[in-house]
Amino acid sequence: MTMFKALSTLDASQTWAAVLGFIVLLFMGRKAWVDYKIRRAGGVRSSVLATNPITGFRFFARAGYMQARDQLDEFYDELYNWATPECPNCVEIAFIGGVRFLMTREPEHVKTVLTSKFTDYGKGPKFHETWSPFLGDSIFTTDGQLWSDSRALIRPMFIKERVRDIEIFDKWTKTLISKLPASGQTVDIMDLFYRMTLDVTTDFLLGHSVDSLNNPKHEFVDAFQEVQRIQMMLTILAPFRHIIPKYRYNRGIRVLERFIEPFIQRTLALQPSELEDLSKSSSDFTFLHSLARRTRDAKVIRDQLMAVLLAGRDTTAATLSWTIYELSHYPRVYHKLRNEILSVVGPSRAPTYEDLKSLTYLTHTLNEALRLYPAVPYNLRAALKDTSLPGIKGQPDITVLEGDIVTYSALSMQRRPDLYPATGEMVGKGEKGQRQPFEDPSVFSPERWDYWTPKAWNYVPFNGGPRICVGQNFAMTEMAFTLVRLLQKYDRLEYRGDWHAQFHKAEIVGAPGHGVPVAFFEAQEGDVA
């Protein structure tokens, strides 16, 4: 009471000065307490960019600004210009002195978060709160037993190669090709890829497609895109998420739910014996049927469907788009890839699983696209208890306190030149046993995979450890199948536009910001590349 009586005797300017002084002392006290806990744990901070709202606000404001301008990759790399030599690839920001946001592009940190100290890190309660309106309690938003149960629900449909999957790929790839214009005319192939992968994924999940290749104005398509855009903004501006308008976000989620809920209800109306009979039919058994065999909870099913829909549509479409973007600039690579496809599969036959596995250069082409353009460029984990990240050689570990957020970027990490051999350095063994000069790592070169293998944790397009992408094989098969069918029909590819003006548009998934305007030229019968 004495303090309030004293304040009441001050004039306005003195009162504001006193309040400001109190706030400064509060943040200084919070910082001192965090510093004490870090010292007590025997570690250090990473490179510190900000520890209070005054110095921290500009970083969050710039993050929002750069995201709005589709320059998040530049912003993320800029942060390391402020790093110290003792911690060159990990920086931290604290907005209110308590929770720290650590940004890293260090392979050992990724390894620690995903494997070495897997139980110390998770999605955390704040991530779950931010994402649960969209993805609920799914595999992407939960930890511990909830996460384990989610993975157990999803995994059975991805652990074996199913004939139905190839049939789905073939059906929708044919539909995509039927939408391409006449030979030599321009088309945004990225738009078609996004529509095709949505059709593939909804067909796989529900046994019924959105059919967006034939109906591009379907409200589901627009809603799905809008929800993802706002979700990314809510994640980037996490401390301010409560003041970001969410009307369009919530409306979009309702559109998605209106589409999938009738399928859930029809499936739950089936008797367990009917689901068991369906499971014996490769052609009729869907992902939704598989979920319903294991749970009768409609919300659990809804959440897992949303999660796989997000993972199955955008990541595959973005990677295919980047692959065609690069192939359009390197006709030699395109011709070499087409020759391999024709020699193994021929000009018209649909490839089998065995064919796709034997197409080594095709695998290398996709690996190279994922190296330069990992589908999920940014990911994060929360510390579930006091833990640490390894320091560089000769430096102490970085203490990470419970509740701190660690953001890691596969995009930034996989583009670090110092993680590769020097350009021109003789590396590995070539096709005839000789060592090969290493290509500039910033250049698209599938050949490098003939004689070079990235070090563990330097290349993580599908994450790693217990949370490694359960649909990795499904995605790689779908992408390989699509490229085979395209290259069988078209012997030449041409970019229409300024290839060098392309930019990386990061929402949840990183995609070409200008789309991919290209022209395909149909092969004449008997032609080879």
Side-chain angles (χ1 to χ4, degrees):
M1 292 298 292
T2 303
M3 182 181 73
F4 289 110
K5 285 181 180 179
L7 283 173
S8 68
T9 66
L10 301 177
D11 61 30
S13 61
Q14 291 173 323
T15 301
W16 278 111
V19 171
L20 181 61
F22 174 75
I23 292 172
V24 170
L25 287 173
L26 176 65
F27 283 113
M28 288 177 64
R30 289 180 69 119
K31 178 181 180 301
W33 174 242
V34 171
D35 286 339
Y36 166 73
K37 291 200 290 183
I38 289 172
R39 287 195 305 272
R40 186 179 63 184
V44 297
R45 288 180 179 268
S46 63
S47 296
V48 178
L49 305 188
T51 58
N52 60 72
I54 297 172
T55 56
F57 179 76
R58 62 172 175 151
F59 288 104
F60 283 104
R62 184 156 176 78
Y65 173 76
M66 295 293 271
Q67 164 65 9
R69 291 173 59 88
D70 296 311
Q71 295 176 314
L72 193 60
D73 54 335
E74 293 180 30
F75 168 75
Y76 196 90
D77 287 338
E78 279 177 7
L79 294 176
Y80 299 100
N81 295 335
W82 301 77
T84 63
E86 293 77 24
C87 188
N89 291 299
C90 186
V91 297
E92 66 177 75
I93 298 170
F95 188 72
I96 54 175
V99 173
R100 298 148 65 212
F101 294 84
L102 293 90
M103 279 68 69
T104 183
R105 55 179 182 179
E106 175 56 51
E108 285 300 314
H109 293 172
V110 176
K111 176 184 176 182
T112 298
V113 166
L114 295 182
T115 55
S116 307
K117 296 185 176 180
F118 174 75
T119 57
D120 291 2
Y121 293 94
K123 295 296 185 174
K126 286 187 173 62
F127 184 91
H128 181 269
E129 178 190 343
T130 304
W131 282 73
S132 60
F134 182 21
L135 300 186
D137 297 326
S138 68
I139 190 171
F140 295 132
T141 61
T142 53
D143 299 308
Q145 191 60 47
L146 264 179
W147 167 78
S148 182
D149 291 345
S150 291
R151 193 171 177 91
L153 279 173
I154 287 173
R155 190 169 178 269
M157 287 295 281
F158 291 110
I159 58 175
K160 58 183 179 180
E161 298 166 344
R162 303 188 319 140
V163 173
R164 181 175 182 271
D165 296 347
I166 286 285
E167 291 173 347
I168 291 173
F169 301 153
D170 195 33
K171 172 184 175 181
W172 293 110
T173 302
K174 284 178 179 175
T175 306
L176 176 141
I177 291 174
S178 75
K179 300 301 177 184
L180 292 175
S183 181
Q185 293 188 11
T186 303
V187 63
D188 181 4
I189 192 65
M190 186 177 88
D191 174 60
L192 291 177
F193 281 149
Y194 269 78
R195 286 155 57 187
M196 182 199 79
T197 55
L198 181 58
D199 290 342
V200 167
T201 307
T202 49
D203 197 344
F204 169 76
L205 292 176
L206 309 172
H208 180 90
S209 171
V210 172
D211 198 20
S212 63
L213 278 169
N214 291 313
N215 182 17
K217 299 300 183 183
H218 197 296
E219 65 171 351
F220 187 100
V221 178
D222 292 336
F224 196 64
Q225 199 66 29
E226 182 74 0
V227 168
Q228 288 187 76
R229 183 186 66 79
I230 300 172
Q231 187 69 72
M232 186 65 174
M233 189 62 71
L234 291 169
T235 304
I236 293 172
L237 301 179
F240 311 100
R241 65 187 181 278
H242 297 296
I243 63 173
I244 295 174
K246 300 182 184 67
Y247 171 75
R248 293 167 68 91
Y249 174 72
N250 293 326
R251 183 184 64 182
I253 291 172
R254 287 195 296 272
V255 170
L256 304 183
E257 290 174 339
R258 277 202 307 271
F259 179 80
I260 66 174
E261 281 174 358
F263 295 99
I264 295 174
Q265 294 307 318
R266 282 202 295 269
T267 300
L268 289 177
L270 296 173
Q271 295 299 314
S273 59
E274 293 176 284
L275 289 170
E276 188 64 32
D277 290 340
L278 277 171
S279 71
K280 299 170 185 175
S281 168
S282 174
S283 60
D284 299 324
F285 192 63
T286 68
F287 185 86
L288 177 53
H289 291 139
S290 178
L291 291 177
R293 285 183 71 202
R294 292 165 174 81
T295 178
R296 308 300 287 179
D297 187 322
K299 184 183 182 303
V300 170
I301 293 174
R302 174 261 185 221
D303 294 348
Q304 305 305 339
L305 288 174
M306 285 289 196
V308 177
L309 179 61
L310 173 64
R313 184 246 190 171
D314 289 54
T315 54
T316 306
T319 303
L320 282 169
S321 299
W322 284 119
T323 304
I324 291 295
Y325 166 74
E326 289 288 355
L327 288 174
S328 70
H329 195 62
Y330 296 99
R332 178 193 58 79
V333 176
Y334 186 92
H335 295 153
K336 181 175 178 179
L337 179 57
R338 184 165 190 267
N339 277 336
E340 180 188 59
I341 289 168
L342 293 179
S343 67
V344 173
V345 188
S348 59
R349 178 174 63 82
T352 63
Y353 277 110
E354 290 69 29
D355 292 329
L356 296 175
K357 288 176 182 178
S358 68
L359 293 168
T360 304
Y361 193 66
L362 175 57
T363 301
H364 290 175
T365 299
L366 288 169
N367 285 345
E368 183 71 350
L370 287 165
R371 184 185 68 83
L372 286 171
Y373 311 102
V376 182
Y378 308 99
N379 219 318
L380 62 83
R381 294 290 185 271
L384 304 179
K385 62 181 182 180
D386 290 355
T387 182
S388 64
L389 295 172
I392 63 173
K393 188 175 181 180
Q395 296 295 326
D397 287 351
I398 299 164
T399 295
V400 183
L401 301 174
E402 182 178 349
D404 287 347
I405 306 297
V406 177
T407 300
Y408 60 95
S409 172
L411 177 69
S412 184
M413 182 181 74
Q414 290 176 192
R415 293 187 174 200
R416 276 178 53 188
D418 61 303
L419 295 180
Y420 294 93
T423 300
E425 180 181 339
M426 302 304 288
V427 177
K429 292 183 178 181
E431 294 176 0
K432 297 180 180 178
Q434 75 273 25
R435 291 161 66 81
Q436 298 287 319
F438 193 76
E439 280 271 16
D440 181 343
S442 67
V443 172
F444 181 80
S445 176
E447 281 81 6
R448 78 174 81 246
W449 294 81
D450 289 336
Y451 54 84
W452 168 82
T453 302
K455 293 180 180 177
W457 301 102
N458 287 14
Y459 175 75
V460 287
F462 293 100
N463 253 336
R467 281 190 184 260
I468 193 168
C469 175
V470 71
Q472 175 178 346
N473 184 59
F474 183 91
M476 289 293 286
T477 303
E478 180 182 356
M479 292 187 292
F481 190 99
T482 303
L483 290 173
V484 167
R485 293 311 248 167
L486 282 171
L487 271 70
Q488 282 177 316
K489 183 168 184 178
Y490 300 101
D491 66 355
R492 189 159 66 88
L493 175 65
E494 186 178 285
Y495 195 78
R496 296 287 171 84
D498 184 353
W499 189 88
H500 296 282
Q502 188 62 267
F503 64 93
H504 187 274
K505 182 181 178 69
E507 290 181 345
I508 297 172
V509 169
H514 284 310
V516 184
V518 293
F520 288 93
F521 294 84
E522 190 167 350
Q524 300 303 307
E525 190 172 346
D527 279 0
V528 293

